[in-house]
Amino acid sequence: MKDICLLLTISQRDDAQRFIHFFQEQGVAEVYSALCNGTARQKTLDLLGLEQTEKTIHFAVASRQKVQELLRGLRRYLHLDLPDRGIALSVPIQSMGGAAALQYFLEGQELTEKEESEMAPSYELIVVIAQRGYTDMVMDAAREAGASGGTTIHTKGTGGKNAEKFFGVSIAAEKEIVLIVAAAQSKTAIMKAVMQGAGMHTKAHALAFSLPVSETAGFQWEQDQPG
């Protein structure tokens, strides 16, 4: 399999067009954007007089070599390593649906064969799917285990009957997907805390899984911040 990644970039909503313009200038064939929210504690929002922390998440498929170029550009031109400028991470793609899809996403990009590596990822992307309105319950549990924050995307699920079959509960279609980037050594503790504090036995009915992260930008300044 060629070395291909899904690049996720999360920016302040006011900066969304700047990020999209950057990707277009860098020759990325297709960028998908969606509105999302940060997961700052409600007490913090109340203190600052804010209703929510509005964000935009951008998805793009690129070769790993191109991802590394994009991350350098995001640091240099959009200052991703400064506070509140945004974050970026890439997740390895294991397979692509045919040559046409490969050409569509990666037109003009140089491809190399993936080199196998035994090096473990420094970060992992934890994906939590929960009932809408229970982000605070999920994040409170995650923070107790060391998570510093997350990003929420509002979605609609289609598997209500399947949930009743496996878990014996009726689950509404309105969902929130919470994305939490965590240090690899903290991933297990955070997922365990989320399942204990907001799992299927709670009103949040949360499910979680994790993905390896191969490249990041915008996290250096967070390492010295309190969780």
Side-chain angles (χ1 to χ4, degrees), residues 126-139 141-142 163 167 169-172 174-178 180 190-209:
I126 300 172
V127 181
V128 183
I129 304 171
Q131 294 287 83
R132 189 164 187 174
Y134 289 92
T135 299
D136 285 347
M137 181 181 289
V138 171
M139 287 307 304
F167 302 107
V169 294
S170 177
I171 297 180
E174 297 297 321
K175 305 288 185 183
E176 287 176 334
I177 295 178
V178 184
I180 303 169
I190 292 172
M191 293 182 69
K192 183 177 180 180
V194 169
M195 291 298 93
Q196 290 178 342
M200 291 300 296
H201 63 288
T202 71
K203 292 182 178 180
H205 296 312
L207 298 168
F209 59 90

Side-chain angles (χ1 to χ4, degrees), residues 62-109:
S63 69
R64 184 168 184 178
Q65 179 176 329
K66 186 65 174 181
V67 164
Q68 292 171 343
E69 294 174 4
L70 291 169
L71 293 178
R72 288 194 293 269
L74 288 168
R75 294 188 184 100
R76 180 175 181 179
Y77 300 113
L78 294 176
H79 311 295
L80 234 62
D81 287 335
L82 295 178
D84 298 324
R85 298 305 304 159
I87 62 172
L89 60 137
S90 65
V91 177
I93 292 176
Q94 297 301 317
S95 60
M96 184 69 70
L102 186 67
Q103 183 177 5
Y104 176 80
F105 285 116
L106 305 180
E107 183 178 5
Q109 297 183 32

Side-chain angles (χ1 to χ4, degrees), residues 9 11-26 56 58 73-74 76-80 84-85:
T9 308
S11 69
Q12 299 290 346
R13 199 167 297 182
D14 290 344
D15 291 333
Q17 287 303 317
R18 293 183 62 207
F19 278 74
I20 293 171
H21 182 65
F22 167 80
F23 287 123
Q24 291 173 338
E25 283 190 330
Q26 297 299 313
T56 303
H58 314 278
L74 288 168
R76 180 175 181 179
Y77 300 113
L78 294 176
H79 311 295
L80 234 62
D84 298 324
R85 298 305 304 159

